[in-house]
Amino acid sequence: MASPPPFSLSTDPFASTHCILPPTISKIFGTTVKLGKIEHTHFRKVTPLRRDQDFALKASKRSMGSPELTRQLNNNKFETLSGAEDGRDIFNDLKDRFLSFKSKYTENNEQFEKLAKAQAPKFMVIACGDSRVCPSTILGFQPGDAFMIRNVANLVPPFENGPTETNAALEFAVNTLLVENILVIGHSCCGGIRALMSMKDDENASFLKSWVVAGKNARKKAEAAASNLSFDEQCTHCEKESINISLSNLLTYPWIEEKVAKEELSVHGGYYNFVDCSFEKWTLDYRGTKLEERGIIATKNKVYWS
């Protein structure tokens, strides 16, 4: 698999990062993978982030068990809040979007009536809070499909670190909702990972630093494996390594490890690269993973969607 082209990041490790697309990339030809078949798609032209983009999204009943829902805007621009006209109340845009959603709600009233009584999601998703990384947009999750928690750098702290919002959500999803899959999604140009890689041991603690330090083992692995590469490339390596650290940390929770061992629960990693619009997915191989070697996991069923 060819490595994605190099990119530049913001010089401030604690600011919202952005990627500068390589000038050589003007078109992306890829595939959209849907259960049972591959559908070819063509992205006309990659424009800088936060600009309007051509948009086509299909969500199929077969993909997540949701009703058939297809949204395709031909020759129209993907509307973003950042693209709203100057002087216009940004909440007017949100109002329009809500009313658009309400029309779909009305059309699928029976489905939403069922969801109002109970939820039975198949997925627990842990993703980054980055505004460019929305699991529902990327993977087409519909209401009722996935119980989600988003935090800085999509990290899962180990059990012994004590209570956090993330493991509270995990406990509820696994023990009450009985989800069958946990999916940890990392992404390119992650500001939280860049902050982790930029930290100095003698720095004063902050909320951000106190949180991302949970990924310190991923940082060590990235620095060791990519010591001869640039800092930006080390960050990319750490973005992926941190996902595996989180998968390993999931097994430190007794009620997760027990269900994984009984094959009642599967644990997956995913990496979304929005520079070239690709997605990698893999599954933790519990039988091949040595629990005593924290952070060293075996994987299976790895696929690459582009």
Side-chain angles (χ1 to χ4, degrees):
M1 181 195 311
S3 300
F7 50 79
S8 299
L9 298 170
S10 167
T11 55
D12 182 357
F14 301 102
S16 292
T17 60
H18 67 278
C19 292
I20 299 177
L21 296 175
T24 55
I25 294 182
S26 60
K27 292 185 178 180
I28 299 176
F29 296 89
T31 57
T32 299
V33 176
K34 297 165 65 177
L35 229 59
K37 69 175 183 178
I38 297 177
E39 176 181 78
H40 293 279
T41 60
H42 173 212
F43 295 81
R44 294 175 181 273
K45 181 176 177 61
V46 176
T47 55
L49 294 172
R50 291 184 174 272
R51 291 186 60 188
D52 293 336
Q53 301 176 8
D54 292 336
F55 176 75
L57 171 63
K58 292 184 178 179
S60 169
K61 179 189 298 185
R62 289 178 295 174
S63 62
M64 292 295 169
S66 302
E68 181 81 10
L69 175 61
T70 301
R71 293 190 293 128
Q72 186 169 8
L73 304 178
N74 294 319
N75 301 319
N76 289 329
K77 293 180 177 180
F78 180 42
E79 295 181 0
T80 64
L81 292 178
S82 60
E85 295 181 4
D86 293 339
R88 182 181 179 185
D89 186 348
I90 197 170
F91 281 95
N92 285 336
D93 294 280
L94 295 182
K95 173 186 174 183
D96 292 342
R97 294 180 183 202
F98 172 74
L99 293 178
S100 176
F101 165 76
K102 186 173 181 179
S103 68
K104 297 181 178 67
Y105 180 99
T106 303
E107 293 170 1
N108 298 279
N109 192 50
E110 183 178 348
Q111 178 202 6
F112 284 101
E113 284 181 353
K114 291 180 180 178
L115 289 176
K117 297 176 182 177
Q119 60 171 323
K122 298 294 184 183
F123 278 84
M124 163 69 179
V125 174
I126 301 170
C128 185
D130 194 300
S131 64
R132 301 162 293 184
V133 183
C134 177
S136 294
T137 299
I138 299 165
L139 298 176
F141 287 113
Q142 299 301 308
D145 286 340
F147 187 82
M148 297 189 188
I149 185 74
R150 297 179 68 175
N151 62 43
V152 174
N154 45 268
L155 296 174
V156 177
F159 178 80
E160 59 265 24
N161 279 25
T164 67
E165 183 181 11
T166 296
N167 49 36
L170 275 168
E171 183 178 52
F172 179 70
V174 173
N175 293 334
T176 301
L177 298 180
L178 304 178
V179 296
E180 299 173 2
N181 300 275
I182 299 176
L183 173 60
V184 180
I185 303 175
H187 68 95
S188 58
C189 309
C190 182
I193 294 298
R194 190 174 179 86
L196 170 66
M197 294 294 292
S198 303
M199 284 177 58
K200 306 298 181 184
D201 293 336
D202 57 352
E203 284 187 68
N204 294 326
S206 68
F207 290 133
L208 177 62
K209 297 170 187 174
S210 296
W211 171 253
V212 298
V213 74
K216 61 183 179 181
N217 289 336
R219 172 181 169 169
K220 292 178 181 178
K221 287 178 174 292
E223 289 176 337
S227 59
N228 60 328
L229 302 178
S230 69
F231 179 73
D232 288 348
E233 291 171 315
Q234 289 182 28
C235 287
T236 299
H237 193 94
C238 189
E239 287 165 356
K240 296 183 178 182
E241 194 61 61
S242 69
I243 300 169
N244 285 335
I245 293 295
S246 287
L247 299 187
S248 175
N249 286 345
L250 284 171
L251 296 180
T252 66
Y253 294 82
W255 28 274
I256 291 180
E257 194 269 336
E258 179 182 2
K259 286 179 177 291
V260 172
K262 293 180 178 178
E263 298 184 350
E264 297 174 355
L265 176 67
S266 295
V267 175
H268 316 272
Y271 181 78
Y272 170 51
N273 186 335
F274 52 68
V275 175
D276 63 6
C277 196
S278 63
F279 194 92
E280 297 176 53
K281 171 266 170 189
W282 59 95
T283 299
L284 181 142
D285 181 359
Y286 177 76
R287 302 302 174 191
T289 296
K290 298 180 179 180
L291 298 182
E292 66 274 10
E293 297 181 22
R294 181 78 63 85
I296 301 178
I297 68 169
T299 61
K300 60 183 180 181
N301 302 332
K302 186 168 185 177
V303 292
Y304 181 78
W305 306 331
S306 65

